[in-house]
Amino acid sequence: MYFPMSRNSYEFYNPSNSKRHTKELPKSLAGSKVRYSKDGWLLMCKSISTDFVLFNPFTMDLVVLPDLELWHGYQLVGFSCAPTSSDCVVLIIKDYDPGHVTIRTWSPGETTWTSMQVSSQFLDAKRNYVVFSNGLFYCLNLRNSLAGFDPSLRTWNVLDISPPVCPDHIDDESWYEGKFMVGYKGDVFLICTFGNAEPLVFKLDLTLRVWVKKENIGSLTIFGSINSCESRTYVHEGLLRDSIYFPKLCDNENRCVTYSFDEGRYHPRREHNVNWGTQPSSENIWIEPPENALELI
């Protein structure tokens, strides 16, 4: 998905056939930004607001969440599954003072947020690294510390996990800016990019309590973007396995880019009729379409 500067519309792009489809945003969402995406839904709010909505850009369904009453924003957000499921949990994490983390959750049918505060030195986050896997929300901060929140038990734990090893020639800022976290059937992967260099992939090993570096991703295809990541073992004809797709590799790129581990190189998608322009890469996300997507767009 691509959101143009006007923010009154959005565009779907299918990298397997290069087709594009444009739809108008509901007037109430004009100027809103995507904060997280999962199961074909978007968690959105306006830049100066913390009034969140869940929006399905295919069916145009909207779920307005209760007022958060936050005066100073938030650090991390995410949700476990589509709000059409009673198992859906929306997560908002914020630190109000050093050493304390406030966690708010909401589920369908609730009229208020459930709040809890825990003693924790965890938060130091600029980007939204949140993955829901095996019943837990995994959250990564700027220092590469990993924490887990169990919404059923309402427990928060900073995990004793050794951080992934950063190459000596990569500065901390570059290491931070190009990270993506994604889950697949209970596994959690961390992808790190450094300009045009080969991306690094780490798989979380909770038994050994380390991030294990992977030389490839096997039959997986990963679609990585700042506010949404998807992973598949089955992809349509025209897409590559053992590869990572990026809407753009960095802000100065203007097209979809693919890295193939099998070939050990990037594939600029020059053959595709797509130009994202110079907007920040955070304005482009991957989203899972429903089976009848073509009927809806």
Side-chain angles (χ1 to χ4, degrees), residues 166-287:
C166 175
D168 293 336
H169 65 284
I170 302 297
D171 61 84
D172 290 340
E173 189 66 18
S174 297
W175 166 251
Y176 166 69
E177 287 294 333
K179 284 192 297 192
F180 308 90
M181 196 161 64
V182 61
Y184 180 75
K185 292 188 175 180
D187 290 324
V188 177
F189 295 88
L190 184 66
I191 299 105
C192 305
T193 63
F194 314 94
N196 293 321
E198 176 185 350
L200 301 181
V201 177
F202 300 89
K203 181 179 177 181
L204 179 62
D205 189 319
L206 289 170
T207 302
L208 298 178
R209 298 185 178 275
V210 295
W211 289 98
V212 179
K213 187 176 182 296
K214 307 294 290 184
E215 297 303 320
N216 57 64
I217 54 175
S219 60
L220 270 181
T221 300
I222 292 176
F223 302 86
S225 58
I226 290 173
N227 290 319
S228 69
C229 290
E230 298 284 345
S231 56
R232 299 286 183 275
T233 52
Y234 168 78
V235 292
H236 293 288
E237 184 178 354
L239 297 179
L240 301 173
R241 294 193 181 190
D242 197 17
S243 300
I244 304 175
Y245 283 74
F246 304 96
K248 51 165 61 178
L249 197 57
C250 51
D251 288 346
N252 61 4
E253 291 275 356
N254 62 8
R255 61 179 181 264
C256 182
V257 175
T258 309
Y259 184 85
S260 167
F261 287 94
D262 183 50
E263 298 180 20
R265 67 184 182 95
Y266 284 98
H267 290 262
R269 312 296 289 184
R270 291 190 181 92
E271 70 277 14
H272 287 176
N273 181 28
V274 59
N275 187 330
W276 302 132
T278 57
Q279 282 188 229
S281 55
S282 59
E283 306 302 321
N284 307 288
I285 68 166
W286 296 106
I287 187 166

Side-chain angles (χ1 to χ4, degrees), residues 2-38:
Y2 164 69
F3 289 83
M5 287 291 187
S6 68
R7 298 202 176 282
N8 295 322
S9 64
Y10 53 96
E11 185 175 283
F12 293 114
Y13 166 68
N14 185 343
S16 67
N17 59 20
S18 304
K19 290 186 177 181
R20 304 166 74 170
H21 308 271
T22 300
K23 295 192 73 170
E24 293 293 316
L25 270 174
K27 290 183 179 179
S28 62
L29 294 182
S32 295
K33 288 190 174 184
V34 176
R35 307 301 181 182
Y36 197 79
S37 174
K38 189 177 178 68

Side-chain angles (χ1 to χ4, degrees), residues 111-185:
T111 57
T112 60
W113 292 84
T114 301
S115 181
M116 63 178 284
Q117 189 176 77
V118 295
S119 297
S120 178
Q121 298 289 343
F122 174 79
L123 279 184
D124 185 5
K126 293 181 182 178
R127 292 284 176 89
N128 194 46
Y129 302 123
V130 177
V131 165
F132 185 77
S133 179
N134 283 335
L136 293 179
F137 285 99
Y138 290 96
C139 307
L140 192 73
N141 69 7
L142 181 60
R143 303 184 304 275
N144 295 311
S145 295
L146 190 70
F149 175 69
D150 187 326
S152 61
L153 300 177
R154 301 201 63 76
T155 56
W156 167 268
N157 293 293
V158 178
L159 305 176
D160 181 21
I161 303 291
S162 299
V165 178
C166 175
D168 293 336
H169 65 284
I170 302 297
D171 61 84
D172 290 340
E173 189 66 18
S174 297
W175 166 251
Y176 166 69
E177 287 294 333
K179 284 192 297 192
F180 308 90
M181 196 161 64
V182 61
Y184 180 75
K185 292 188 175 180

